[in-house]
């Protein structure tokens, strides 16, 4: 047996060696180089830098090396040149020219974007490093998963390996500076001969994502060149393009489940190369914020990380302050709570996520800027312990200023890494070793996703997200008993004893927010089981570690059809793929059973599809199998009330100024093959909406009804978003002669006409302010929760009060005895006395007539007492109603309507105060929206009213 050296001894030895051998190279680097310098670069950089103190000795020069092209040699301009932004293809052209000329640079293709552009990683290091990349990849893989090596072997690997420091720019397309800077950085690291750069090149491998969102990069550069390039007054701002990527705008940095192709491509690369550090480069606050990992901090991550983050940020702040650069700070901005930011793929996998926010103008045009005083995150110009040299209150800011700050900061971070490369690697290894050991001693020891759940397709979704992130999952081949509970064969098991068990715990556990007085930058909860409405059991019994389970690569669910007969009943078990099934067989007549029934020995819940299959039987069976559904063939239709499952002509309405949440709905519909028209104010103002559509969905967007109606403020000239032979990425996903101005009151009138003609309007989240504010639902009021109420995306308990309503088909519902509504009022003041006894306990989710939902910050709806029958679901409220995350003053939402189905004209308005399709996360809520679509003209089923026959009822939807 090999002798094991304790991580503590190894760490102390390596740190001592690092401190003894590695001195931080002195400045100024340019004065210690005999290389020829680019005099024109030095002159122009000083000209474009608006104050001398905005330039550092690390970036005020650029070497000239014969045969190796600088960015200007390929692009025709220097990085930071006024009014110059680089298209993505030209970036790749430059990097490939650099790689062709230098053995210190390599470009590797890693996949494609959502729109089919090439994704690459650029590697920069010493000649030796680039030659030995394959060995480097193997070494880091062993440090990332140290189960097969001893501490002594790890010490050998650390001695020869080099840390990879990965840089990503351009994730947010309006943040235009990082992709420009990174080209100059790559050139500088490849060619400069100076103590700082030599040490970086020899001791670190720098990898670069040129633009993390290539699709959005090109769209924004087109927009900038067409509209923004000559706007020099910050008060004369214009809107940006309505789209960056195909679906996601800013939320591509919140894609916790890696739904977008581009983001998943980057994750796949990370899990192959395991860079110990990922550094995201963003733009917003003045002049440069360097992330320090402030509270609230996720306590499940390795505590070493919380020492590393301020180590780097304080060093960078000290270096840049030493150079005289004002406005560098480290605190009071982004926290370490949510694991959903893209760069957290490093921290989530035992590495280190770093981040900058550098001041930018949304382009390369120099502007006079006024720095905000008191705001949501304090006075940005005040001197604080974390901001010793504050930014100025007024400044003329240029793209070159942006480049100088960002490049100086990155070089300082690389300088620190190069001074202590073995410490970085040893920390990475130790965190990985801790990850393997985490949970094995004190628990939890694992998680079980039980087999036999109502819908195993959503259970498979959870498993596959875990697998996508490198988490090991097994599947049992027989019943297993753990902690006194027997779980059936086919259950999924996630055990401690693997490198990424910390991440599994973070994703699957309830989020207990550490300090309610603290705000957080994004959501406070993301518990996957609750968000997907999937049963996940935390296991505190150590015997789970010995459970026999077959490793799962990808979880699949194969549907089944049992029995014989011409009629096929497809169980409505809550599977989101049921809507795919219906649209795939749109030419086949189907009905929905309005009550539960028996199909042979199988209990079929209300909402199950009834199909007189006939000649289509083979197609039906094939779709059932492929989509993971369960069906039973029978001799005859069941003797229960039924209604036709007509398919509506469906539109999704979007404003031009707020497409983000619409994008997630589009993505969900496309993933589940739901056809729809994406419409804007232009189609609404043409009128006669009922001619083309039966259902119009307005996803959450803006903050009020006014923002839906009036959208972007008018500016001095029309702002078209149209296909353009010169600006080729514009005009995608819709066109407009002028995106400003909104639909106005004329558009509201057209929506009213649509409802009067029998149309169904569905609003989600913030868009549910629209119908009450503009009189489409005259008797419903909508208000906004005010401080001290604060709810950054918690998961809360919602009670289904109309369990027979078609919206709840497939959910765990049961008709309950009627309660005395006279004791409740809209604010829930007296609700405690009348609530079911089960509500006295802290809810665990997945209870009959209860659904865990993400609180979306939608309106507080109020319905008159005489119209309370329109309330389908309501928030439980109170402390017992918060299932995961943070909600201050939770009594604010007690008994407030969560879903309302209100008649309007001859039609209906379905108001979701929730946001049932939120990012690619709330798959447990998707079914409510999908049910509403499939049963759009049969909403009165729950009211117990007599249904007219299909022949007598006018229907304008898609016909079989």
């Amino acid at each position: 047996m090999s002798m094991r050296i304790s991580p503590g001894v190894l760490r102390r030895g390596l740190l001592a060696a690092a401190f003894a051998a590695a001195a931080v190279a002195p400045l100024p680097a340019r004065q210690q180089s005999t290389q020829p310098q680019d005099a024109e670069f030095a002159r122009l950089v000083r000209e474009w830098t608006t104050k001398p103190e905005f330039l550092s000795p690390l970036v005020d020069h650029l070497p000239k090396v014969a045969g190796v092209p600088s960015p200007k040699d390929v692009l025709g301009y220097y990085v930071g040149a006024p009014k110059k932004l680089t298209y993505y293809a030209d970036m790749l052209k430059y990097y490939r020219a650099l790689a062709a000329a230098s053995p210190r640079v390599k470009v590797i293709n890693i996949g494609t974007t959502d729109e089919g552009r090439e994704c690459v990683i650029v590697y920069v290091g010493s000649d030796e490093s680039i030659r030995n990349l394959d060995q480097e990849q193997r070494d880091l893989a062993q440090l990332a998963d140290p189960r097969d090596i001893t501490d002594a072997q790890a010490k050998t690997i650390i001695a020869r390996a080099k840390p990879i420091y990965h840089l990503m720019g351009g994730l947010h397309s309006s943040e235009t500076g990082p992709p420009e800077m990174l080209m100059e950085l790559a050139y500088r690291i490849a060619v400069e001969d100076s103590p700082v750069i030599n040490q970086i090149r020899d001791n670190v491998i720098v990898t670069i994502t040129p633009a993390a969102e290539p699709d959005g990069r090109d769209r924004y550069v087109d927009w900038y060149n067409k509209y923004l390039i000559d706007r020099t007054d910050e008060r004369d701002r214009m809107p940006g393009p309505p789209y960056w990527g195909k679906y996601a705008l800013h939320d591509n940095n919140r894609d916790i489940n890696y739904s977008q192709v581009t983001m998943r491509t980057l994750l796949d690369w990370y899990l192959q190369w395991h860079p110990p550090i990922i550094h995201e480069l963003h733009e917003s606050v003045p002049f440069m914020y360097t992330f320090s990992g402030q509270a609230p901090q996720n306590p499940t991550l390795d505590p070493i990380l919380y020492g590393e983050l301020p180590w780097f940020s304080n060093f960078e702040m000290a270096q840049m302050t030493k150079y005289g650069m004002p406005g560098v700070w480290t605190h009071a901005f982004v926290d370490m709570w949510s694991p959903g930011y893209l760069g957290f793929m490093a921290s989530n996998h035992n590495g280190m996520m770093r981040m900058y926010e550098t001041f930018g103008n949304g382009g390369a045009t120099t502007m006079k800027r006024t720095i905000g005083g008191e705001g949501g995150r304090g006075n940005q110009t005040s001197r604080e312990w974390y901001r010793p040299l504050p930014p100025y209150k007024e400044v003329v800011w240029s793209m070159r200023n942006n480049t100088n700050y960002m490049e100086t900061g990155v070089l300082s971070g690389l300088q620190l890494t190069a001074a202590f490369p073995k410490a970085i690697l040893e920390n990475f290894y130790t965190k990985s070793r801790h990850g393997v050991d985490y949970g094995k001693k004190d628990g939890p020891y694992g998680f079980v996703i039980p087999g036999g759940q109502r819908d195993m397709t959503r259970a498979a979704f959870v498993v596959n997200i875990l697998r996508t992130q490198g988490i090991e999952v097994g599947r049992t081949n027989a019943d297993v008993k753990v902690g006194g509970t027997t779980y059936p064969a086919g259950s999924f098991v996630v055990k401690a004893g693997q490198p990424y068990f910390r991440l599994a715990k973070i994703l699957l556990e309830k989020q207990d927010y550490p300090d309610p007085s603290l705000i957080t930058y994004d959501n406070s909860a993301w518990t996957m089981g609750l968000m997907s409405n999937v049963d996940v059991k935390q296991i505190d019994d150590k015997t789970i570690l010995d459970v026999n389970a077959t490793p799962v690569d990808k979880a699949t669910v194969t549907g089944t059809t049992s029995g014989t007969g011409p009629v096929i009943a497809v169980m409505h078990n809550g599977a989101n793929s049921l809507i795919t099934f219906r649209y795939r067989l749109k030419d086949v007549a189907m009905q929905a059973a309005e009550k539960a029934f028996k199909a042979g020995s199988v209990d079929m819940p209300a909402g199950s599809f009834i199909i007189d299959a006939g000649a289509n039987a083979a197609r039906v069976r094939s779709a059932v199998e492929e989509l993971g559904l369960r069906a039973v063939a029978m001799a005859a239709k069941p003797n229960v009330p039924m209604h036709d499952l007509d398919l509506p002509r469906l539109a999704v309405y979007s404003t031009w100024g707020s497409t983000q949440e619409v994008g997630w709905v589009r993505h969900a519909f496309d993933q589940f093959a739901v056809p729809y028209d994406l419409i804007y104010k232009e189609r609404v103002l043409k009128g006669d909406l009922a001619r083309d559509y039966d259902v119009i969905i307005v996803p959450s967007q803006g903050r009020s009804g006014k923002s839906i109606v009036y959208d972007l403020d008018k500016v001095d000239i029309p702002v078209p978003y149209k296909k353009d032979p010169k600006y080729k990425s514009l005009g995608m996903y819709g066109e407009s002669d002028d995106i400003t101005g909104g639909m106005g009151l004329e558009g509201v009138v057209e929506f009213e006409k649509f409802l009067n003609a029998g149309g169904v309007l569905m609003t989600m989240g913030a868009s549910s302010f629209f119908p009450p504010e503009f009189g489409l639902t005259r008797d419903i009021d909508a208000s906004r929760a005010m401080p001290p109420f604060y709810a950054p995306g918690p998961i809360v308990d919602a009670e289904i009060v109309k369990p027979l309503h078609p919206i709840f088909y497939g959910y765990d519902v049961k008709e309950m005895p009627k309660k005395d509504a006279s004791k409740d009022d809209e604010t829930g003041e007296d609700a405690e006395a009348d609530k079911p006894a089960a509500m006295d306990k802290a809810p665990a989710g997945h209870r009959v007539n209860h659904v865990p939902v993400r609180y979306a910050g939608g309106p507080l709806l109020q319905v008159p007492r005489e119209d309370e029958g329109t309330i389908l679901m309501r928030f439980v409220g109170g402390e017992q109603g918060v299932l995961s995350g943070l909600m201050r003053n939770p009594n604010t939402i007690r008994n407030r309507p969560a879903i309302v189905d209100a008649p309007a004209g001859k039609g209906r308005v379905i108001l979701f105060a929730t946001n049932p399709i939120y990012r690619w996360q709330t798959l447990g809520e998707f079914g409510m929206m999908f049910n509403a679509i499939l049963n759009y003209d049969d909403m009165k089923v729950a009211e117990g009213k007599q249904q007219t026959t299909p022949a007598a009822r006018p229907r304008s939807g898609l016909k079989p």
Side-chain angles (χ1 to χ4, degrees):
M1 180 181 292
S2 300
M3 179 178 292
R4 294 180 61 86
I5 302 171
S6 73
V9 172
L10 178 62
R11 177 167 58 252
R12 288 192 292 273
L14 288 170
L15 284 173
F19 276 102
V24 175
L27 97 158
R30 59 185 169 81
Q31 293 178 0
Q32 300 177 39
S33 174
T34 59
Q35 284 181 294
Q37 298 293 313
D38 188 333
E40 182 187 27
F41 173 91
R43 176 179 62 80
L44 289 174
V45 162
R46 280 181 168 75
E47 178 182 321
W48 299 335
T49 301
T50 60
K51 281 184 175 292
E53 60 266 36
F54 295 162
L55 188 59
S56 83
L58 297 181
V59 299
D60 64 357
H61 61 284
L62 200 68
K64 295 185 72 170
V65 177
V68 182
S70 71
K72 186 192 177 186
D73 294 328
V74 174
L75 305 176
Y77 50 85
Y78 293 109
V79 167
K83 300 187 177 182
K84 292 291 185 182
L85 292 181
T86 308
Y87 284 99
Y88 183 66
D90 291 330
M91 292 180 204
L92 300 193
K93 181 181 178 182
Y94 172 68
Y95 284 116
R96 288 201 161 105
L98 182 61
S102 173
R104 297 171 175 175
V105 182
K106 186 172 184 176
V107 177
I108 295 179
N109 178 287
I110 63 167
T112 59
T113 69
D114 293 81
E115 293 180 355
R117 290 174 175 83
E118 181 182 14
C119 290
V120 306
I121 300 293
V122 181
Y123 296 73
V124 188
S126 67
D127 302 42
E128 178 193 28
S129 295
I130 301 304
R131 280 197 309 271
N132 295 328
L133 281 178
D134 289 345
Q135 181 62 51
E136 178 70 23
Q137 184 179 15
R138 290 191 294 271
D139 285 344
L140 288 176
Q142 287 191 293
L143 298 180
D145 184 356
R147 285 176 291 184
D148 293 331
I149 61 174
T150 64
D151 286 342
Q153 291 169 321
K155 183 176 180 180
T156 300
I157 293 170
I158 290 169
R160 71 170 176 253
K162 298 176 181 179
I164 290 180
Y165 192 116
H166 185 66
L167 293 151
M168 292 194 298
L171 180 60
H172 293 150
S173 302
S174 63
E175 299 167 11
T176 55
E180 304 291 334
M181 182 278 291
L182 287 170
M183 290 186 286
E184 181 174 299
L185 179 77
Y187 174 77
R188 189 182 300 280
I189 293 173
V191 304
E192 184 168 309
D193 179 17
S194 68
V196 169
I197 301 301
N198 289 342
Q199 190 177 41
I200 291 170
R201 190 167 53 238
D202 289 344
N203 294 343
V204 183
I205 298 171
V206 177
T207 57
I208 294 170
T209 296
E213 174 52 281
D215 303 331
R217 174 67 183 189
D218 282 353
R219 199 144 24 247
Y220 194 90
V221 173
D222 272 343
W223 189 266
Y224 172 79
N225 287 333
K226 185 170 185 177
Y227 291 120
L228 307 178
I229 194 168
D230 292 321
R231 293 192 174 245
T232 59
D233 189 333
E234 67 175 348
R235 297 169 299 179
D236 193 23
R237 290 287 185 92
M238 288 182 64
Y243 290 94
W244 294 347
K246 182 176 182 179
Y247 297 110
L249 200 86
H250 196 273
D251 267 8
N252 59 6
N253 198 27
R254 308 293 190 275
D255 190 11
I256 191 172
N257 289 334
Y258 295 92
S259 67
Q260 304 304 289
V261 173
T262 311
M263 306 306 115
R264 187 166 293 197
T265 298
L266 288 167
L267 175 65
D268 290 345
W269 172 81
Y270 175 86
L271 291 174
Q272 293 171 29
W273 284 86
H274 308 285
I277 301 175
I278 283 186
H279 193 156
E280 276 190 14
L281 302 171
H282 290 276
E283 287 181 2
S284 63
V285 292
F287 291 139
M288 194 182 89
Y289 162 80
T290 169
F291 178 59
S292 61
Q294 71 180 53
Q297 296 176 335
N298 194 310
T300 304
L301 292 170
D302 195 299
I304 293 173
L305 175 66
Y306 296 121
E308 292 175 314
L309 291 172
W311 177 35
F312 270 80
S313 61
N314 285 331
F315 178 76
E316 290 158 348
M317 180 175 67
Q319 289 292 95
M320 296 177 73
T321 302
K322 176 177 66 180
Y323 300 147
M325 303 176 82
V328 181
W329 50 295
T330 68
H331 192 70
F333 195 49
V334 180
D335 57 77
M336 275 293 294
W337 181 246
S338 170
Y341 310 110
L342 183 63
F344 264 62
M345 69 176 73
S347 295
N348 289 341
H349 295 89
N350 303 316
M352 184 194 326
M353 181 270 191
R354 309 208 55 238
M355 188 265 290
Y356 290 165
E357 296 280 357
T358 309
F359 205 36
N361 292 339
T365 304
T366 302
M367 289 185 182
K368 181 179 179 181
R369 302 291 303 277
T370 301
I371 310 303
E374 291 296 334
R377 293 186 180 266
N379 187 337
Q380 297 178 344
T381 62
S382 65
R383 187 189 182 282
E384 308 289 348
W385 63 264
Y386 53 84
R387 187 165 48 218
L389 190 62
Y392 307 144
K393 294 183 178 180
E394 289 188 349
V395 65
V396 175
W397 196 255
S398 68
M399 175 61 87
R400 189 62 217 187
N401 292 356
N402 175 282
T403 299
N404 294 341
Y405 268 74
M406 202 180 316
E407 191 172 357
T408 300
V410 167
L411 286 171
S412 298
L414 289 170
Q415 183 181 7
L416 184 61
T417 306
F420 303 107
K422 304 312 174 187
I424 298 298
L425 289 174
E426 200 270 347
N427 281 357
F428 180 53
Y429 163 71
T430 303
K431 288 183 289 185
S432 299
R433 176 68 71 188
H434 288 172
V436 172
D437 295 338
Y438 185 78
K440 289 196 297 183
K441 180 180 178 182
D442 300 318
Y445 302 101
F447 294 85
V448 172
I449 303 172
Q453 298 192 38
R454 291 171 64 90
D455 170 30
M456 288 303 293
T457 64
R458 279 179 284 119
F461 168 82
V462 172
V463 169
N464 289 331
I465 296 302
L466 299 178
R467 292 294 301 122
T468 295
Q469 301 207 43
I471 296 164
E472 296 169 358
V473 182
R475 192 167 196 170
T476 62
N477 299 310
D479 294 355
V480 296
K481 188 172 184 179
V482 179
T485 301
T486 300
Y487 296 101
S491 296
F492 297 101
V493 179
V494 182
K495 300 180 185 180
Q498 57 172 302
Y500 306 144
F501 184 67
R502 288 182 188 269
L503 175 58
K505 181 174 181 289
I506 287 169
L507 294 175
L508 297 175
E509 69 184 347
K510 171 188 176 182
Q511 277 72 61
D512 291 315
Y513 199 76
D515 185 346
S517 69
L518 295 175
I519 63 173
T520 187
Y521 202 76
D522 194 54
N523 290 335
S524 63
W526 50 84
T527 308
M528 288 190 71
L530 294 176
M531 297 278 261
S532 301
N533 204 10
V534 170
D535 193 15
V536 179
K537 301 295 188 183
Q538 179 174 304
I539 305 299
D540 298 317
D541 183 344
K542 204 168 189 176
T543 61
I544 191 175
L545 299 177
D546 300 319
V547 167
N548 186 23
T550 301
V552 174
D553 181 35
K554 181 178 181 181
T556 59
V557 180
T558 302
T560 61
T561 303
S562 60
T564 60
V567 175
I568 297 179
V570 181
M571 178 185 292
H572 200 320
N573 59 355
N576 291 316
S577 56
L578 280 162
I579 198 167
T580 310
F581 176 86
R582 182 66 190 100
Y583 274 103
R584 182 176 297 182
L585 300 173
K586 62 185 177 183
D587 59 320
V588 178
M590 299 185 192
Q591 294 176 294
E594 295 172 4
K595 291 188 177 180
F597 63 95
K598 280 271 191 182
S601 61
V602 179
D603 291 321
M604 288 285 186
S608 294
F609 296 3
I610 309 299
I611 308 166
D612 196 350
N616 295 302
R619 292 174 59 205
V620 171
R621 288 171 181 266
S622 176
V624 165
E625 180 177 338
E626 183 180 338
L627 296 172
L629 304 174
R630 185 177 181 188
V632 178
M634 306 183 297
K637 292 183 179 181
N639 186 25
V640 294
M642 292 181 281
H643 61 260
D644 291 344
L645 278 173
D646 300 302
L647 291 174
R649 300 164 302 161
L650 181 64
V652 174
Y653 178 76
S654 177
T655 58
W656 285 109
S658 186
T659 63
Q660 175 63 74
E661 297 298 332
V662 181
W664 290 114
V665 175
R666 291 172 48 232
H667 179 261
F669 283 6
D670 288 351
Q671 292 298 305
F672 288 103
V674 178
Y676 62 95
D677 285 349
L678 181 61
I679 64 172
Y680 303 86
K681 62 174 182 173
E682 288 74 16
R683 174 61 190 89
V684 172
L685 293 174
K686 284 182 180 178
D688 201 6
L689 290 167
R691 179 191 64 206
D692 295 329
Y693 304 112
D694 304 300
V695 175
I696 300 177
I697 294 173
V698 186
S700 185
Q701 50 202 292
R703 288 183 51 78
S704 66
K706 289 180 181 178
S707 63
I708 299 278
V709 172
Y710 299 112
D711 196 16
L712 297 169
D713 291 339
K714 282 282 189 182
V715 292
D716 50 359
I717 59 171
V719 184
Y721 178 72
K722 304 191 75 171
K723 290 183 174 62
D724 188 317
K726 185 176 180 182
Y727 305 112
K728 296 181 180 179
S729 65
L730 302 184
M732 296 186 72
Y733 318 116
E735 294 187 83
S736 175
D737 291 325
D738 183 6
I739 65 172
T740 69
M743 65 178 172
L745 295 177
E746 298 92 337
V748 178
V749 171
E750 294 304 329
F751 272 106
E752 186 174 38
K753 291 177 181 177
F754 170 72
L755 291 168
N756 288 338
V760 178
L761 177 64
M762 302 181 191
T763 59
M764 305 162 66
S767 292
S768 291
F769 281 106
F770 166 48
E773 285 182 4
F774 285 87
L776 299 178
T777 51
R778 295 176 184 271
D779 295 331
I780 298 175
D781 289 329
S783 60
R784 188 175 304 282
M786 302 301 290
F789 180 79
Y790 176 61
I795 302 170
V796 302
D797 188 16
E799 181 188 12
I800 296 169
V801 296
K802 285 293 185 74
L804 300 183
H805 196 284
I807 277 180
F808 303 117
Y809 286 160
Y811 288 86
D812 191 4
V813 294
K814 180 180 179 182
E815 189 170 9
M816 303 292 284
K818 294 192 179 203
K819 297 192 295 180
D820 182 2
S822 66
K823 294 183 181 179
D824 293 349
D825 63 20
E826 303 310 322
T827 62
E829 293 295 331
D830 301 314
E832 284 293 314
D834 192 48
K835 69 182 181 179
M839 289 172 58
D840 290 329
K841 301 177 182 179
H846 314 301
R847 294 187 290 114
V848 173
N849 289 356
H850 284 258
V851 182
V853 299
R854 178 188 173 275
Y855 185 75
L860 296 177
L861 298 175
Q862 184 165 334
V863 177
R865 189 173 299 279
E866 61 270 21
D867 292 332
E868 282 185 343
T870 64
I871 300 173
L872 307 184
M873 187 170 79
R874 63 185 180 183
F875 297 114
V876 170
E879 295 293 343
Q880 80 278 2
V882 181
L883 303 179
S884 186
L886 171 66
M887 179 178 282
R888 294 181 199 153
N889 282 40
N891 284 339
T892 302
I893 66 167
R894 174 171 287 145
N895 276 357
R896 288 286 188 171
I899 306 175
V900 175
D901 174 7
K906 295 181 181 178
R908 312 183 81 79
V909 180
I910 313 295
L911 300 100
F912 290 86
T914 60
N915 185 1
I917 300 178
Y918 175 74
R919 298 176 180 167
W920 187 241
Q921 295 178 22
T922 55
L923 269 78
E925 298 180 57
F926 283 16
M928 288 182 267
M929 176 56 68
F930 290 166
N931 282 334
I933 292 170
L934 290 175
N935 300 276
Y936 77 98
D937 53 355
D938 292 287
M939 296 296 187
K940 292 184 180 180
V941 169
E943 299 172 13
K945 296 184 179 178
Q946 182 65 39
Q947 299 296 295
T948 56
T949 65
R953 189 189 316 146
R955 295 176 183 269
S956 55
L958 300 175
K959 304 300 290 183

